[in-house]
Amino acid sequence: MRRFLDLTALALAALPAAWGETKLLENFTLIDGTGKATVPNAALLVVDGRIQYAGPKSGAPKAPAGAERVDLAGKFVMPGIMNMHSHLGNVVGLTADPKNFTVNNLNKQLKTYAQYGVTTVISMGSDQELIFDVRAAQRAGRDPRTRIFTAYRGFTGVKGYPTAAPGMKGVPYEVGTPAEIDAAMKTLVAKKVDLVKIWVDDHLGKEQKISIDLCQAIIVGARKHGLKVAAHIFYLDDAKKLVDAGLYGLAHSVRDKPVDGELIQLMKKRGAWQMAATFTREASMFVYANPDAMLSDPFFTRSLDATTLETIRGDAFQKKQANDKETHLWPGFLRTAQANLKKLADAGVPFAFGTDTGPPARFSGFFEHWEMELMAQAGLTPMQIIQSFSKNAAEFLGKQNDLGTLTKGHWADLVVLTKNPLDDIRNARAIDTVWIAGLKAN
């Protein structure tokens, strides 16, 4: 009897197309994110938000009666953009304040991300407890909002960077002893964070940097609980010490000098990732100093409120950045970061995709597309860039069985385009529709 019941359950499981919500997307060119050749005249069969078939239309199973058929003739379908470095909730307009961390503000930002094809984000260390309620609601079913992963609150030293930045005091854990690290780690474990974050920087010598000894204690403490650690870094020397201590991900590029063979070998030996290059973070430090075509680009301006747009176009805002004594340094830091990503990629170090969007003047959605352009300028191919935000990002998260590529069993998180991004990565801007878990998100 038990065997009969088991076989019956197996048979029912083998017939998903007969039940639930079924969609058949057809007649498009498929870019599945695996790195394989594109598939012309393709089809995706999606049942209850998950892909049951992806490949040539000629090989697709017959859709059941009543299935929704979506004709995408002439279009291109690629995986949704997964951003491994963002900050949610704290900013309204150009003002950072923990008071801004509300459901309404989160939903607004997630909607903006989704409109630009960003289907997954990791919020990197500046969150409040509300983030767990939203994450839980998403994971309880299907949700057309951009998927949330979170580091909750990151670590820094006592009075350390970035606590002097507007809106950041009291946001990270400021730790000075192993006991303080243990207490904070217990909270992170109880909250089931997706990643642990450390800020390891002194803001070009102006602020206090957490010690490497404390960083090592954080890494060891996290690993005891099966958690991986990523770090905001700037300096090559810090990157080497942290990777050697077991760091999982560099949340920014090394920007003070070229990466060398020692770091490359350490990253490969330890299995460390360049989780995010965040080129647009560097670009945002100087781009507003002079009027830029971006400021009149409809693809950029469509997501900004009138007051914010007027401010960043104004003389006062631009002069403030132009007159900053460090503004002239950032183009060089950007070029160093770009060269370093290319060198790591060529050496076989795993890399994903991230932008550090969310803080003031680092605009969600548009900056992800700008990041792609800057990656192309660094020498990466469109296919490498697409894989960085799909296959690679899912592997970094350990979610490669659910997310990333458009393959059987994965959630149908995808972007429908009217142009081929493999011809020019800027064609990823040509967004027709965005789907998250098989639901239209825009």
Side-chain angles (χ1 to χ4, degrees), residues 338-362:
Q338 288 175 302
N340 284 343
L341 177 62
K342 182 65 165 65
K343 190 171 183 179
L344 292 174
D346 289 349
V349 172
F351 66 97
F353 179 90
T355 58
D356 200 10
T357 43
R362 302 210 287 271

Side-chain angles (χ1 to χ4, degrees), residues 376-434:
Q377 290 175 17
L380 275 68
T381 68
M383 185 64 85
Q384 285 180 300
I385 297 167
I386 291 170
Q387 285 186 273
S388 77
F389 65 65
S390 57
K391 176 179 180 291
N392 298 4
E395 289 177 355
F396 173 81
L397 278 175
K399 298 298 181 181
Q400 61 269 33
N401 294 329
D402 284 308
L403 302 173
T405 58
L406 300 180
T407 50
K408 185 177 180 179
H410 288 196
W411 286 111
D413 295 357
L414 56 92
V415 184
V416 180
L417 304 171
T418 58
K419 297 180 181 179
N420 187 352
L422 294 176
D423 291 339
D424 182 341
I425 200 62
R426 282 178 58 89
N427 288 344
R429 292 176 164 214
I431 297 171
D432 178 80
T433 49
V434 179

Side-chain angles (χ1 to χ4, degrees), residues 277-353:
T278 67
F279 296 151
T280 47
R281 192 266 183 197
E282 273 53 71
S284 73
M285 301 297 285
F286 64 87
V287 72
Y288 303 108
N290 295 293
D292 187 273
M294 177 181 80
L295 300 185
S296 58
D297 183 345
F299 192 68
F300 171 64
T301 61
R302 70 183 193 181
S303 65
L304 274 62
D305 63 84
T307 300
T308 300
L309 185 57
E310 182 180 4
T311 300
I312 64 174
R313 284 175 170 173
D315 289 344
F317 188 85
Q318 294 174 7
K319 285 179 179 178
K320 181 179 179 181
Q321 188 171 82
N323 293 334
D324 188 303
K325 63 181 181 180
E326 293 170 352
T327 295
H328 73 283
L329 298 173
W330 290 100
F333 293 145
L334 173 58
R335 290 191 293 270
T336 298
Q338 288 175 302
N340 284 343
L341 177 62
K342 182 65 165 65
K343 190 171 183 179
L344 292 174
D346 289 349
V349 172
F351 66 97
F353 179 90

Side-chain angles (χ1 to χ4, degrees), residues 200-201 209 212 232-244 247 250 252-267 274 333 336 340 343-344:
V200 189
D201 200 353
K209 181 167 64 174
I212 294 297
H232 168 122
I233 53 92
F234 184 89
Y235 303 104
L236 176 62
D237 185 58
D238 289 335
K240 289 179 181 179
K241 291 175 180 177
L242 292 167
V243 170
D244 195 40
L247 187 77
L250 299 178
H252 297 277
S253 299
V254 169
R255 290 161 278 173
D256 67 322
K257 59 182 68 173
V259 296
D260 57 17
E262 182 183 5
L263 178 62
I264 290 170
Q265 290 308 311
L266 276 171
M267 293 185 76
Q274 178 64 67
F333 293 145
T336 298
N340 284 343
K343 190 171 183 179
L344 292 174

